[in-house]
Amino acid sequence: QVQPVESGGGLVQAGGSLRLSCAASGLGNYRMAWFRQAPGKERDAVATISWSGNSAYYADAVKGRFTITRDNAKNTVYLQMNSLKPEDTAVYYCAATTRFGIRVSDYPYWGQGTQVTVSS
């Protein structure tokens, strides 16, 4: 069973960058994803990446600004976030699955989340 642990969140000004990391022993066998949840809103997928790293999905709101990558040798997945906007403010969660999908219900393994706050 994989147990993701996120790090790298914080406070940044609009237009700035942050890199989130997600570490988990054995994550090389899983499709990984980053979700986010803003106050009063549903948790939605931001980006997902296949176990090999050869394919990725991005939500329309982050295409061209966010990049998901993985280093299976280091058991770590990253989310590089550039050109951040105030609307990117949310708790960001790392999740793992052996299935394919972008829904919360597709991912049985979750981290505790890391707060990202973008000031205007």
Side-chain angles (χ1 to χ4, degrees), residues 29-40:
N29 297 317
Y30 296 82
R31 170 177 290 271
M32 302 297 295
W34 288 96
F35 287 74
R36 69 184 181 186
Q37 187 168 21

Side-chain angles (χ1 to χ4, degrees), residues 41-85:
K41 295 188 176 182
E42 293 185 351
R43 190 176 299 188
D44 293 318
V46 172
T48 73
I49 189 166
S50 62
W51 70 270
S52 67
N54 289 338
S55 65
Y57 156 87
Y58 295 95
D60 288 343
V62 306
K63 280 181 181 177
R65 300 189 297 122
F66 291 11
T67 303
I68 187 171
T69 57
R70 65 190 300 158
D71 185 338
N72 289 339
K74 295 182 178 180
N75 287 315
T76 305
V77 176
Y78 305 97
L79 185 67
Q80 178 67 42
M81 305 185 294
N82 299 328
S83 302
L84 282 161
K85 305 175 181 179

